[in-house]
Amino acid sequence: MSVLESGINIKKFKGKHFLTLLDFSSEEIKELIDFSLLLKKYQKEGVPHPFLSGKTLAMIFEKSSTRTRVSFEVGMTQLGGSALFLSSKDSQLGRGEPISDTAQVLSRYVDGIMIRTHGHEIITKLANYSTVPVINALTDDFHPCQAMADIMTILEVKGTFKGLKTVYVGDGNNVAHSLLIACAKVGIDVTIATPKGYEPKEWIVKEIESICEETGAKFTLTNDPIEAVLGADVIYTDVWTSMGYEEETAKRLEDFKAFQVNEALMSYAKEDYMFLHCLPAHRGEEVTVEVIDGANSHIFHQAENRLHVQKAILVALMSN
């Protein structure tokens, strides 16, 4: 089986980086999701798919991770390639080497670069100086690979994107940004409920509103979780204190206590709602055990899909 026979149009992805879903059309995102589903089918049926045989991915981690490292490393192995783990402590980045120099050096060694870092400007600069594809595995503003796994899971469970309402309850962080963009791109109505002062960045809200005008999706921003969840098909939350904000933990626990995803709040959603969380989760904090471990929870299904969507992205960007 060749990439050409798989159905994905590789040519349209050539020369692209994967920094934010704002850079991709609705059609491109849907095509990547379809390809992810095919790659998942191959894996489940034991069909070899070494589309990246001989290719190497450099993985730069300036923020720790379980799912990101394992899914990318396993994904490259299943695609016939290899992955190199580089932490800031183990590379010259930790000693102050300019990101531009790192980009130009790595571009001469590897076929792609994945980075999990802090400010989004870091990955933008890396991409500007790299001659190989750069993939955003998380920045302070975006988490596009996670969002791709999220909408893939929604499609598998609900069977469609049409007529759905997805609600994010909690902090308007990088996970929320990318989820809202992804849903709006594929035509899912999106609502976000946050405490006052924790809304998504204003410029990202404007981008989402613009996308909704194109796709016909509806976008709602509210500070009332009950209003938000009413009639929802999908409920999503994340930790209240993301990496880098640990000094705000006590304040956030107080500010977010009315935004816990629990059975009382879920009673306002549709009976067959699905619950999602990007993990790791703080059970009893942003979500109760009854919800996250309940029959409507798809968190491990969602986590598995990180592997499949990232394989699709890797092939689209790095395959010949």
Side-chain angles (χ1 to χ4, degrees), residues 282-300:
H282 295 161
R283 284 169 168 79
E285 194 168 294
E286 74 270 8
V287 59
T288 60
V289 171
E290 291 76 16
V291 172
I292 195 170
D293 294 327
N296 295 69
S297 177
H298 294 269
I299 59 171
F300 298 117

Side-chain angles (χ1 to χ4, degrees), residues 49-290:
H49 46 285
F51 295 152
L52 296 182
S53 179
K55 301 281 187 176
T56 303
L57 176 72
M59 306 189 305
I60 302 173
F61 283 85
E62 295 190 311
K63 282 189 174 184
S64 59
S65 172
T66 298
R67 279 152 292 277
T68 298
R69 179 178 178 180
V70 174
S71 56
F72 269 106
E73 199 160 328
V74 170
M76 282 299 294
T77 300
Q78 291 180 357
L79 292 168
S82 59
L84 299 172
F85 174 78
L86 301 170
S87 73
S88 56
K89 294 185 295 184
D90 301 325
S91 68
Q92 293 299 330
L93 280 173
R95 298 177 62 188
E97 181 175 55
I99 196 74
S100 56
D101 288 2
T102 297
Q104 292 177 82
V105 170
L106 288 180
S107 294
R108 294 167 186 257
Y109 295 150
V110 301
D111 304 285
I113 302 170
M114 179 230 84
I115 184 169
R116 183 177 172 93
T117 188
H118 300 275
H120 194 74
E121 69 280 358
I122 296 172
I123 199 170
T124 300
K125 191 170 186 178
L126 181 70
N128 286 341
Y129 284 92
S130 175
T131 57
V132 298
V134 173
I135 298 172
N136 180 359
L138 180 140
T139 63
D140 290 345
D141 283 343
F142 299 106
H143 200 353
C145 293
Q146 179 65 57
M148 290 291 287
D150 299 338
I151 61 173
M152 177 182 175
T153 308
I154 291 170
L155 181 60
E156 285 186 296
V157 174
K158 294 298 185 181
T160 184
F161 291 135
K162 293 182 179 178
L164 296 181
K165 176 183 178 181
T166 292
V167 179
Y168 180 95
V169 180
D171 187 20
N173 59 14
N174 49 4
V175 171
H177 291 164
S178 288
L179 174 73
L180 297 172
I181 292 166
C183 288
K185 285 272 187 178
V186 298
I188 299 174
D189 293 344
V190 283
T191 296
I192 180 168
T194 74
K196 290 182 179 179
Y198 294 95
E199 295 86 355
K201 291 187 176 181
E202 187 175 343
W203 72 270
I204 292 177
V205 168
K206 290 180 179 178
E207 291 280 2
I208 295 165
E209 290 172 340
S210 177
I211 294 166
C212 287
E213 288 179 5
E214 296 176 7
T215 64
K218 296 177 182 178
F219 172 63
T220 304
L221 173 61
T222 179
N223 302 119
D224 184 342
I226 294 176
E227 174 192 339
V229 167
L230 191 62
D233 299 282
V234 183
I235 313 295
Y236 198 123
T237 193
D238 189 12
V239 295
W240 291 341
T241 306
S242 299
M243 285 182 286
Y245 294 89
E246 288 82 3
E247 72 281 358
E248 299 178 8
T249 298
K251 183 178 187 302
R252 284 171 174 263
L253 285 173
E254 179 64 24
D255 292 346
F256 281 88
K257 63 183 180 182
F259 289 78
Q260 183 186 67
V261 175
N262 51 38
E263 288 181 306
L265 184 61
M266 294 301 93
S267 68
Y268 293 93
K270 289 183 178 177
E271 188 174 347
D272 65 344
Y273 79 87
M274 57 185 293
F275 173 75
L276 297 176
H277 192 303
C278 59
L279 301 179
H282 295 161
R283 284 169 168 79
E285 194 168 294
E286 74 270 8
V287 59
T288 60
V289 171
E290 291 76 16

Side-chain angles (χ1 to χ4, degrees), residues 12 16 21-30 185:
K12 70 170 62 174
K16 285 195 172 187
L21 294 179
L22 294 171
D23 300 330
F24 292 85
S25 68
S26 298
E27 291 70 28
E28 289 170 332
I29 290 172
K30 290 176 182 177
K185 285 272 187 178

